[in-house]
Every structure is written in C-alpha cells, then in structure tokens.
Amino acid sequence: MAQDLAGKIAWVTGAGSGIGEAAALALAGAGAKVVLTGRREEPLRALAERIAASGGEAAVEPGDVTDAARITAIVEGIASRFGRLDVLVSNAGSNVRERRWDALSPEGAQSVIQANLSSAFYASLAVLPLMRRQGDGVLIHTASWAGRYVSPVSGPAYTAAKHAVVAMSHSINMEECVNGIRSTVLCPAEVATPILDKRPVPVTPEDRARMLQPDDMAALILFVATRPGHVCLNEVVISPTWNRGYVPDARLGSRLGA
C-alpha cells in the first residue's frame, strides 16, 4: 500500500476491538503513527505489537473516553510527543441489553449516552485547538444507521446519542471549515463487531457473515483520512447489500443499529 499517511499522526478511540482495531491497522499500514485508546490496556498492547511487527508505529494511551480530563491529558501527550495530530477516529461506543423505554434505567441511559455522545464530544473538544493551530485536520466519527434512521431496535438512548453525534459532526464543519478542519460522520448499518453480543436477540453466525465487516469500515475510514485537504466528506451512510432492515422475512428480532 502506498504510504498516503506517511508522517501523519492518527488517534483512534475504541481501538481495542472491532472497527477501531481494524481502522488502526489500516491507518498504520498507510504510514501513519497511531495512538491507541480504550479502556482495556491488554488488547491495545497486543494491537501495538501487531502494528510494530508489520513495520508500523503505535503508542498506547489507555483511558476511559467518558472521562473528559483523561481525554484532554491524552491529547496533550500527543501534542507533546508528536507536535501535531492529523486524524481523529472517534469510534468508542456501547449499548445495553435493557434498552427499551419499559426496561431502560437512568443508569443504563447515562452509560449509553456517555459512551456514544460524551466521548465523541470530549475527543472533539480536545483535538480542535491543536488542529486549528495546524490549519488542518480530519475528525472521523462512528455514528450508526440508528443515527440517521429511528427504529425501536437500538433503543432510545443509543438512537438519540447517535443522532446527536451526526449533528455534532456537521456543526464542526460549519464552524471549523475556515480553519482547514474537516469532520466526517459515518452511519453504518449492521457491522459484525463485539457490540452485537449485547443485542437482546442473538445474532446468528450466518447473519453476521452477511453484515459489514470491520475491515469494510476500516477501508472507508482510510479513504476519508486520505482525501486532499479541499475535500470534506460530511456524512457517509453505508450498509451491507443484504440489509436485514429491508428483508421482511429475515429474523428481525434485532432490526438495525447496535
């Protein structure tokens, strides 16, 4: 692969598995130095070793992305070590099984909103001053099909949070385009990642195989990250060809979304 991101610095949250892990590998493969963040240090270390074994470079910065102070400290560390940050992949997120209005608790709603919305806000707030000084930067946020289309399956907390991430990303472009900063929000339908394990209705291996895969999302993230500075992909809605939301006879106990 051509080194499209040689000399660039990329920060990936939720890098321990799924889309974040695949994105980190793709960005490192394109030449970027990658900073890996997630709550669990062990998978981040294992990923950094894989990247190093392939000739890339990765730094591990574990942390809770719902902790604004920790996120700020990570970005300050990136600025001190590398002097710049070119790409943010704000990918962290989660859901709960008890997600319907008649089952959702305040604690569950808070955890979902913090993991999916607050984390993206804190990361954006932390990186924007550095990107403004550079006059350049790309923010890539993983929202969801549930961030564009309302359905009962993802639950109101997740759906509301992901809709807010979409709005957040567009608002960044409205204010920061004059500073050379671009924000892209990705709205994927079902992706075969560990978050599916929290679905109230289990997803079969056969259905998972027909979903989008983490590598599909990583290829999209790499495409966004390597566009020239005058190009902004504001929003991308992506789904598997065999879209369970469109197939009336599919086992749709879990329709679309995380």
Side-chain angles (χ1 to χ4, degrees), residues 196-216:
L196 293 179
D197 297 334
K198 293 188 176 182
R199 288 278 182 90
V201 178
V203 182
T204 67
E206 293 79 12
D207 281 354
R208 290 186 190 226
R210 291 197 276 194
M211 293 176 181
L212 294 171
Q213 302 301 309
D215 285 345
D216 299 322

Side-chain angles (χ1 to χ4, degrees), residues 5-256:
L5 296 176
K8 303 290 187 180
I9 310 301
W11 177 35
V12 182
T13 71
S17 65
I19 295 170
E21 177 184 12
L25 289 167
L27 294 167
K33 297 177 181 179
V34 183
V35 180
L36 310 172
T37 292
R39 287 175 297 176
R40 299 173 298 130
E41 185 169 355
E42 184 176 343
L44 300 178
R45 295 287 178 194
L47 177 57
E49 290 175 3
R50 290 172 61 193
I51 289 172
S54 298
E57 181 177 340
V60 173
E61 288 288 350
D64 181 352
V65 292
T66 69
D67 182 343
R70 177 58 184 148
I71 290 299
T72 298
I74 290 172
V75 175
E76 289 174 348
I78 291 171
S80 177
R81 177 173 179 178
F82 299 109
R84 63 182 299 109
L85 177 63
D86 302 283
V87 181
L88 164 67
V89 180
S90 180
N91 173 71
S94 70
N95 207 341
V96 292
R97 285 189 176 89
E98 300 77 16
R99 58 185 65 176
R100 291 173 52 92
W101 280 113
D102 59 6
L104 185 65
S105 67
E107 295 78 17
Q110 182 181 47
S111 70
V112 172
I113 292 168
Q114 287 183 335
N116 294 284
L117 175 58
S118 298
S119 64
F121 249 95
Y122 297 153
S124 299
L125 285 168
V127 305
L128 283 171
L130 181 55
M131 290 182 174
R132 286 188 200 109
R133 291 197 294 271
Q134 298 166 183
D136 180 61
V138 182
L139 298 85
I140 305 171
H141 313 277
T142 303
S144 172
W145 188 274
R148 179 48 65 192
Y149 306 106
V150 178
S151 86
V153 174
S154 299
Y158 186 90
T159 299
K162 291 302 190 182
H163 267 71
V165 171
V166 172
M168 179 200 74
S169 182
H170 284 286
S171 73
I172 291 171
N173 286 327
M174 292 176 71
E175 293 190 22
E176 301 295 342
C177 64
V178 295
N179 296 315
I181 296 170
R182 299 163 286 154
S183 185
T184 299
V185 62
L186 308 179
C187 297
E190 295 180 305
V191 186
T193 70
I195 198 173
L196 293 179
D197 297 334
K198 293 188 176 182
R199 288 278 182 90
V201 178
V203 182
T204 67
E206 293 79 12
D207 281 354
R208 290 186 190 226
R210 291 197 276 194
M211 293 176 181
L212 294 171
Q213 302 301 309
D215 285 345
D216 299 322
M217 294 302 298
L220 175 57
I221 288 168
L222 181 60
F223 179 79
V224 173
T226 53
R227 293 311 88 203
H230 69 281
V231 174
C232 177
L233 294 170
N234 294 268
E235 181 178 336
V236 180
V237 178
I238 180 173
S239 73
T241 302
W242 196 84
N243 188 332
R244 297 201 307 164
Y246 296 160
V247 183
D249 60 344
R251 294 179 299 277
L252 295 179
S254 52
R255 185 179 166 84
L256 281 177

